[in-house]
Amino acid sequence: WLPVISTKLYTNAFIISPGPPQKILLGYKKRGFGAHFYNGFGGKVEAGESPAQAAARELKEECGVEASLDHCGTLLFVNKGGPEWAFQIEIYRADGYSGTLIETEEMRPEWFSAADTRFSETSLTPEVIPPPIPYNSMWPDDIYWIPLLLTKLPFVGRADFDTDTSGRYEMLRWWFGV
Ligand code: 6OG
């Protein structure tokens, strides 16, 4: 199906620490749309702003840091059934950041292991290996494209959602490709 409302333009930014172990910074969203999910840092592109400017502004607003962001993906999310929404989300990534990470009213930043650390032969002590990416506490589309983001493969994708009887968003069909 097609968006029945105008598609809103959003950003989502991820900071990667090369490691080893490779790590990804996610924010636990405390309020608003997608509350209680882990996600990158981002929000709406305001009038007169480029997506890159919005991505940098939202990153700073939501976790206090600055980063040299590279665009690496474009996603379209469509929801059928009320409340209607359709998002185009421009995805950014950065290797590293400057400044000090802070928890804000919107987001609590946390590091996760991006690589599979189960069989790693490094001499890293368990204390420095953060938990794996919490896909069960993220939007269901993320598991399909976060691996592309981590390997720096530019991607596009689309996912169609419907609201189930419990009010949850169920992902009905999707495609993500390089
Ligand atoms: P604010 O409410 O903070 O912006 N977003 C999604 N992210 C993923 N991974 N999957 C989805 O599937 C999403 N829908 C929205 C875009 C909302 C933030 O949530 C992202 C923004 O970064 C439906 O202003």
Side-chain angles (χ1 to χ4, degrees), residues 10-11 29 33 39 42-43 62 77 85 89 106 139 141-142:
Y10 276 70
T11 65
K29 190 138 195 273
F33 188 73
N39 207 338
E62 293 187 351
F77 298 124
W85 46 258
I89 307 193
E106 185 122 350
W139 280 101
D141 50 275
D142 294 15

Side-chain angles (χ1 to χ4, degrees), residues 16 26 28 32 40 51 56 68 77 79 85 89 93 102-103 109-110 126 129 132-133 141 151 168:
I16 315 293
L26 299 174
Y28 178 78
S68 164
F77 298 124
N79 177 240
W85 46 258
I89 307 193
R93 56 158 286 152
I102 53 161
E103 176 171 349
E110 286 179 46
I129 302 177
I133 298 173
D141 50 275
T151 48
R168 291 208 178 137

Side-chain angles (χ1 to χ4, degrees), residues 10-14 29 31-34 38-44 58 62 75 77-78 85 87 89 91 106-107 138-142 145 159 161 169:
Y10 276 70
T11 65
N12 206 347
F14 295 82
K29 190 138 195 273
R31 64 178 191 196
F33 188 73
Y38 285 92
N39 207 338
F41 302 90
K44 201 168 181 296
E58 291 279 352
E62 293 187 351
L75 299 177
F77 298 124
V78 179
W85 46 258
F87 294 117
I89 307 193
I91 311 287
E106 185 122 350
M107 289 289 224
M138 296 166 73
W139 280 101
D141 50 275
D142 294 15
W145 54 265
F161 291 80
Y169 298 117

Side-chain angles (χ1 to χ4, degrees), residues 15-95:
I15 290 169
I16 315 293
S17 166
Q22 187 189 36
K23 288 181 284 184
I24 182 168
L25 184 72
L26 299 174
Y28 178 78
K29 190 138 195 273
K30 301 201 279 188
R31 64 178 191 196
F33 188 73
H36 312 303
F37 279 159
Y38 285 92
N39 207 338
F41 302 90
K44 201 168 181 296
V45 179
E46 304 288 354
E49 216 179 25
S50 69
Q53 288 168 336
R57 176 182 52 72
E58 291 279 352
L59 179 70
K60 177 101 195 196
E61 279 174 16
E62 293 187 351
C63 70
V65 302
E66 283 163 39
S68 164
L69 295 170
D70 292 320
H71 182 253
C72 71
T74 297
L75 299 177
L76 178 64
F77 298 124
V78 179
N79 177 240
K80 187 196 186 204
E84 302 283 359
W85 46 258
F87 294 117
Q88 177 182 332
I89 307 193
E90 299 301 337
I91 311 287
Y92 291 82
R93 56 158 286 152
D95 289 307

